[in-house]
Amino acid sequence: MAGRREREGSRRGRARPWLYLLPAAAVLVPMFGYPVYMLGLLSVFDYRQAQVSGGQPSTFVGFANYAALLEDGRFWEVLAQTVGFAAALVLATLAVGASLAVLLTRVGPLPRMALSLAAMGAWAAPAMTGSTVWMFLFDADLGLVNQVLGLDGFNWFYDRWVTFGVVGATIVWHSFPLVMLTLYAGIQAVPGSVLEAAALDGASAWQAFWKVVVPMLRPLITIVVIQSVIWDFKVFTQIYVMTNGGGVAGQNTVLNVYAYQTAFGSSEYGLGSAIAVVMTLVLLVFTLFYIRALHRGGERL
């Protein structure tokens, strides 16, 4: 009897976290599940403007839209460009956020409050507003950056890589505050006794940070990395606004903009939905592999 009660108690203990998630799941699953279902459904139909207006019936084409993507060289070019751009953004965001989180622990109360408020202002700014402000700062004729640097008439949005640099800086400016505040809270939660023990063992401040603080922050770093990957891989507003839909001859197009142009610019709604499904699958696969690698290394979220 005692063994059976222990087993039942163990099962209840394992089920309890899932019960806590039920209220949120009851709201989020219908909210996100239905759009994803409709996205997948549209991706297997030939769905164009004629079908939207009701002039022609929808035609089931199976995986023909996906086959068209696999044969489209432009799709692979944009996919590779999106992956590279997102990877650079994630690294830059993590570097800036982590550096400022450490800085917050080293400055006094007033500078800490000023930096935190400035970061929260950047985080709270709508993407459209922030993109417009950065476009004005880098304007070829009236921009403050050109005036300060003495680059009269220099167009920051003509060259592919310079454009990606400016847009990337805008995106990092929007996203680093979450990384900064999350890691700052984690650093503050590290017990002082652990750092004192490391100092007694002869570790320098730099060694204590990398050997003690960073391993303890790894679960938080995992969360912010996954969030950054998701946000940066599906970036749309900054690219679309600052490059006027993808830059000169579409040289700065990323996957989300490509899906939008395919669906709403060319009225290929089924093909655009297929691109969005591919984006979702890429993000899902990355997240699963990343979490699996952490568990293999003995880390837990």
Side-chain angles (χ1 to χ4, degrees):
M1 290 292 292
R4 185 202 232 163
R5 283 197 296 269
E6 289 179 2
R7 287 194 298 271
E8 290 178 354
S10 177
R11 283 196 295 269
R12 284 196 296 269
R14 287 194 298 267
R16 188 170 300 160
W18 297 103
L19 293 176
Y20 292 149
L21 292 174
L22 280 178
V27 176
L28 294 178
V29 169
M31 184 180 297
F32 293 102
Y34 181 72
V36 171
Y37 163 75
M38 290 302 299
L39 193 68
L41 186 62
L42 283 179
S43 70
V44 295
F45 278 87
D46 181 15
Y47 199 73
R48 307 169 190 250
Q49 189 60 43
Q51 285 75 26
V52 173
S53 61
Q56 295 180 11
S58 302
T59 305
F60 178 77
V61 294
F63 292 102
N65 288 326
Y66 296 95
L69 288 181
L70 295 178
E71 297 172 358
D72 184 6
R74 176 61 174 164
F75 167 76
W76 290 107
E77 177 188 348
V78 172
L79 176 60
Q81 187 163 267
T82 304
V83 171
F85 186 49
L89 290 177
V90 171
L91 292 176
T93 303
L94 191 61
V96 173
S99 300
L100 292 178
V102 175
L103 179 63
L104 285 178
T105 66
R106 304 296 178 88
V107 298
L110 289 180
R112 185 184 306 126
M113 180 178 295
L115 180 56
S116 299
L117 290 176
M120 292 300 293
W123 191 23
M128 179 70 74
T129 304
S131 300
T132 304
V133 170
W134 277 71
M135 282 181 64
F136 183 75
L137 289 174
F138 284 89
D139 184 78
D141 299 318
L142 304 174
L144 178 63
V145 175
N146 277 3
Q147 294 179 17
V148 171
L149 298 179
L151 300 174
D152 187 33
F154 180 76
N155 190 344
W156 293 85
F157 300 100
Y158 182 77
D159 180 77
R160 169 184 290 186
W161 305 115
V162 174
T163 302
F164 270 132
V166 175
V167 177
T170 307
I171 296 170
V172 171
W173 175 76
H174 274 291
S175 54
F176 86 85
L178 176 63
V179 177
M180 181 190 77
L181 295 176
T182 301
L183 296 184
Y184 172 69
I187 294 173
Q188 291 296 98
V190 174
S193 58
V194 175
L195 299 177
E196 292 176 4
L200 291 175
D201 288 339
S204 64
W206 184 254
Q207 291 173 329
F209 177 77
W210 282 106
K211 300 293 185 180
V212 178
V213 176
V214 170
M216 297 182 71
L217 293 180
R218 197 161 294 165
L220 287 179
I221 294 174
T222 301
I223 293 172
V224 297
V225 165
I226 292 175
Q227 288 179 333
S228 296
V229 168
I230 293 173
W231 291 341
D232 295 335
F233 189 79
K234 64 183 184 66
V235 64
F236 174 82
T237 303
Q238 291 89 345
I239 286 285
Y240 194 83
V241 172
M242 299 181 72
T243 67
N244 195 24
V248 179
Q251 63 183 3
N252 297 106
T253 302
V254 293
L255 210 54
N256 222 354
V257 174
Y258 186 55
Y260 176 84
Q261 291 173 340
T262 301
F264 297 100
S266 304
S267 298
E268 295 275 0
Y269 300 106
L271 191 58
S273 299
I275 298 173
V277 170
V278 170
M279 289 180 57
T280 304
L281 292 177
V282 170
L283 291 174
L284 181 61
V285 169
F286 169 82
T287 304
L288 292 177
F289 271 98
Y290 192 71
I291 294 176
R292 184 180 180 185
L294 287 174
H295 278 282
R296 282 183 173 179
E299 299 290 340
R300 295 183 63 86
L301 293 178

